[in-house]
Amino acid sequence: MIEARGDTARAIPVVRESLGLLTAFRPPTDGNVVLTRRILAIELCATGAFAEGDSVIRTAIASAPLDTTQFAPYRVRAARGFCLMRARKFAEAEPLLLEAESRFRAMGSPPAKRYGAQTIGWLATLYEPWGQAQQPRVARPTSRGERSQTGPSAV
């Protein structure tokens, strides 16, 4: 995909086209539609189009009701956290990212671990410009794959 080569701006029209094709034949609640909206929102927010990205991700969230056994609802909420982070709305982004990371950790499957790792990366990126770099509030993987608690919530 174009995005994999680091060309986010060129990826946006391709993702928009894919979304248009999907929505022509599938309902808004279809997993492929929801996750394509997620991708589009991330790309838009990464290029600075925060308002449009937030609108797209809100539509995806409305189409993916919370279900603690499914990945998609937490993936789209984490993406909204990413968009809020890029818009420098750190206090609004943090709870979404923390909730998603917690659910992925609880699921424990290989895909959940991968999604959790992405969310942890976004959290790490969030804390630096927010001035909270020394206070991560998430359990980080250790070298043996276990989780160690760091920051003010570690007891």
Side-chain angles (χ1 to χ4, degrees), residues 26-65:
R26 296 176 184 242
T29 56
D30 179 84
N32 292 310
V33 173
V34 169
L35 293 177
T36 302
R37 285 187 196 285
R38 175 188 170 275
I39 292 167
L40 179 58
I42 290 169
E43 301 301 340
L44 288 165
C45 291
T47 60
F50 308 121
E52 186 179 3
D54 190 60
S55 175
V56 170
I57 201 62
R58 284 176 178 269
T59 301
I61 288 170
S63 300

Side-chain angles (χ1 to χ4, degrees), residues 66-124:
L66 277 178
D67 176 346
T68 58
T69 65
Q70 299 294 315
F71 300 124
Y74 297 98
R75 290 184 75 196
V76 295
R77 282 162 179 75
R80 178 141 197 270
F82 171 80
C83 285
L84 289 166
M85 174 190 70
R86 293 298 301 244
R88 303 189 65 78
K89 296 180 179 181
F90 305 121
E92 293 176 55
E94 184 188 38
L96 292 167
L97 294 169
L98 288 172
E99 177 189 25
E101 191 281 330
S102 174
R103 288 305 318 150
F104 294 139
R105 189 171 4 106
M107 289 177 191
S109 67
K113 289 177 183 177
R114 187 172 60 249
Y115 304 145
Q118 179 183 44
T119 305
I120 288 171
W122 287 344
L123 278 162

Side-chain angles (χ1 to χ4, degrees), residues 88 90 122-134:
R88 303 189 65 78
F90 305 121
W122 287 344
L123 278 162
T125 303
L126 165 101
Y127 291 128
E128 185 67 35
W130 191 14
Q132 303 278 336
Q134 69 282 9

